[in-house]
Amino acid sequence: MNSIFVARGNSDAIPIWFVTAATWPDIRERLDAASKAFAEAAGFEPKAGRHLLLPGKKGLGGVLFGLGSSDGLSDRFLPGHLAQLLPDGTYRFANETHNTRLAALAVALGNYRFTRYRKSEPSDIKIDLPQSVDREELDFIVEGVTLARDLINTPANDMGPDELEGAARKLATLHDAKFSAVVGDDLLKENFPLIHAVGRAADRAPRLLDFTWGNDKHPRVTLVGKGVCFDTGGLDIKPESGMLNMKKDMGGAATALALAHMIMSRKLKVRLRVLIPAVENSIAGGSFRPRDIYTSRKGITVEIGNTDAEGRLVLADALTLADEEKPELIIDFATLTGAARVALGPDLPAFFTDDDALANELMASGAAENDPVWRLPLWRPYESMLESKVADTNNVGGGQGGAITAALFMRKFVTAKSWLHFDIFAWTASAKPGRPEGGECQTARALYALLAARYG
């Protein structure tokens, strides 16, 4: 992937001035006479997202961009608009913004295009970063986010369990990680019955993807990503509106791969493991059924209350495997429940953990990285909603608290205290600064910052 960032010190780079109501008078006086006169004639005001291209002697002489509020915090990714506004060229930040690193990252993420099926002329915008910003780190963060977006945006006819395996294998090879996969009926032989049950009806075999990287003597961190490449809902079939965007139901797997790329690129001092149950929840003669009962890898018997609650089933077997190694930290990602979206909306992923210190650390990291998350409770009294009269547990609870009961279901398969479960949307329905419409990589940047601080 070509980087949007260039080597420092380009004297011909076009200046971008970030302005607020408070800073505009000073910046206006620093402009040359022609630019000042042009800005006044154009009636420029430093409102959020407002921009003005200033003429120069050799063409474009500079750019004014409004940040809105005096602290520039109306949206830390607001500079991402510039990716769509600027003509081709090399630019530099002429003054400090609220967060220069996030501003540069926002421009790079806003420059994303998904061009696999409809070609478009790529823009040729470059940012000459100031010395205070680590270009190499920003590059692999952008690479990770781009990987996740590309995977989520790819439709299921080209992104089934086998293609998801190919993407994971390619990433593992890039970083010299050890890769393996358990495919089809071998899932039963290797004791992954829930993964097999969910994926067996599809014409593309279900599988568990597994790769490890790093020094075995370093702390063990395991990422688990829900890789449901398409979800019809199974026999409890989704309505048309609910099925339309189900190509994104492998967004958890895409997020895990994005974070893994960041970790391995930075060479954090961890022994990393990535587990992805990759399936398609299809309808056929072999579909698993409501009221079926399966014995999970952990030995817990599970009654199927709803076949559309399949993500927690495949994660249960994968989390059990992750927990068997007793890692220092287990993190899972899943586009799991509509209940989390009702509670927090599409842009604020829910997370669950019993580790209060870890939760506080994560919240701070998410705020600093403009990758927000919000903690919901693992409210133990709701475990009664998962009771079954014929098995150890049902896979669904009642009609309320669905995100919590889903997390409590998965908690049954993990003994580690330092476990993080993320219920994400992985999608941007309408474009925002730095976040084009389509697949989105949520939570990975916040977690990368947290892990880099711990294990850098």
Side-chain angles (χ1 to χ4, degrees):
M1 189 182 81
N2 293 327
S3 174
I4 194 176
F5 307 117
V6 297
R8 305 180 181 101
N10 188 331
S11 60
D12 295 327
I14 301 164
I16 299 173
W17 297 92
F18 294 102
V19 295
T20 66
T23 62
W24 174 226
D26 177 63
I27 291 173
R28 182 174 52 203
E29 293 306 313
R30 294 165 64 183
L31 298 175
D32 61 52
S35 294
K36 180 179 176 181
F38 185 85
E40 291 177 351
F44 175 77
E45 296 179 7
K47 295 181 179 180
R50 187 74 61 84
H51 83 291
L52 182 66
L53 304 181
L54 299 172
K57 295 179 180 179
K58 298 180 180 180
L60 181 58
V63 181
L64 298 175
F65 185 80
L67 292 178
S69 61
S70 59
D71 57 9
L73 299 183
S74 56
D75 183 348
R76 288 180 180 269
F77 268 9
L78 196 62
H81 273 314
L82 289 167
Q84 311 302 320
L85 299 174
L86 298 177
D88 292 351
T90 300
Y91 298 84
R92 62 179 175 85
F93 295 165
N95 63 328
E96 290 291 328
T97 177
H98 57 281
N99 186 312
T100 300
R101 176 178 170 276
L102 283 183
L105 180 61
V107 177
L109 295 181
N111 199 45
Y112 171 84
R113 299 287 187 282
F114 182 61
T115 60
R116 177 167 177 171
Y117 301 97
R118 189 174 70 177
K119 301 302 180 183
S120 63
E121 287 297 323
S123 62
D124 191 19
I125 297 170
K126 300 293 183 183
I127 302 295
D128 189 358
L129 290 174
Q131 293 184 357
S132 60
V133 178
D134 185 335
R135 173 191 170 187
E136 183 180 11
E137 182 180 56
L138 282 191
D139 273 339
F140 61 68
I141 290 174
V142 173
E143 289 166 0
V145 173
T146 297
L147 171 64
R149 288 174 173 176
D150 281 349
L151 292 174
I152 296 167
N153 283 328
T154 303
N157 59 309
D158 286 327
M159 186 51 63
D162 43 355
E163 288 89 358
L164 185 55
E165 177 184 340
R169 190 183 292 273
K170 181 179 179 180
L171 182 66
T173 300
L174 176 67
H175 293 285
D176 295 321
K178 182 180 179 182
F179 185 93
S180 65
V182 182
V183 182
D185 289 343
D186 284 347
L187 290 164
L188 295 176
K189 297 176 183 177
E190 299 294 330
N191 193 23
F192 299 106
L194 295 180
I195 299 173
H196 183 270
V198 172
R200 70 190 185 197
D203 58 2
R204 290 180 284 187
R207 61 203 68 203
L208 177 66
L209 315 178
D210 183 354
F211 68 82
T212 56
W213 171 90
N215 190 328
D216 279 339
K217 295 180 181 179
H218 289 160
R220 293 174 182 258
V221 174
T222 300
L223 312 180
V224 182
K226 173 187 170 185
V228 178
C229 295
F230 195 84
D231 181 20
T232 64
L235 293 176
D236 290 312
I237 190 169
K238 292 179 182 290
E240 177 185 357
S241 59
M243 205 184 301
L244 181 62
N245 280 333
M246 280 301 100
K247 69 176 185 178
K248 76 175 183 67
D249 213 20
M250 39 64 67
T255 305
L257 293 175
L259 178 56
H261 177 68
M262 297 176 198
I263 290 170
M264 294 185 290
S265 296
R266 179 68 180 269
K267 295 181 170 52
L268 297 186
K269 294 178 181 179
V270 298
R271 191 281 206 163
L272 177 68
R273 189 177 194 183
V274 179
L275 298 171
I276 295 174
V279 303
E280 192 171 341
N281 188 19
S282 296
I283 300 172
S287 295
F288 72 120
R289 298 163 290 257
R291 299 296 190 190
D292 280 355
I293 297 174
Y294 298 93
T295 302
S296 69
R297 178 179 181 85
K298 194 174 180 69
I300 296 173
T301 56
V302 181
E303 181 184 13
I304 306 304
N306 192 305
T307 63
D308 196 20
E310 84 300 329
R312 66 198 69 182
L313 296 173
V314 299
L315 287 170
D317 275 352
L319 285 169
T320 299
L321 176 62
D323 196 57
E324 288 168 4
E325 275 196 330
K326 301 193 179 304
E328 184 171 294
L329 177 61
I330 298 175
I331 308 171
D332 80 72
F333 309 90
T335 50
L336 206 64
T337 69
R341 308 288 72 77
V342 171
L344 300 176
D347 300 336
L348 190 57
F351 78 94
F352 299 81
T353 185
D354 283 321
D355 189 330
D356 292 338
L358 178 61
N360 292 336
E361 190 178 353
L362 176 62
M363 291 280 284
S365 177
E369 294 297 315
N370 198 43
D371 194 13
V373 294
W374 198 262
R375 188 183 187 185
L376 293 182
L378 283 163
W379 186 246
R380 293 303 196 277
Y382 288 174
E383 287 181 340
S384 61
M385 297 182 184
L386 293 165
E387 290 178 356
S388 166
K389 295 180 180 179
V390 291
D392 295 328
T393 186
N394 203 297
N395 75 321
V396 293
Q400 297 177 314
I404 297 173
T405 55
L408 288 170
F409 174 84
M410 292 192 296
R411 191 71 180 95
K412 298 174 183 289
F413 300 87
V414 183
T415 61
K417 178 184 178 182
S418 290
W419 165 62
L420 284 167
H421 159 56
F422 288 92
D423 193 330
I424 63 177
F425 192 51
W427 192 260
T428 299
S430 58
K432 301 177 177 66
R435 291 148 292 190
E437 180 180 342
E440 188 53 270
C441 181
Q442 299 175 311
T443 75
R445 293 186 297 103
L447 283 162
Y448 164 72
L450 185 154
L451 295 172
R454 282 191 175 191
Y455 307 114

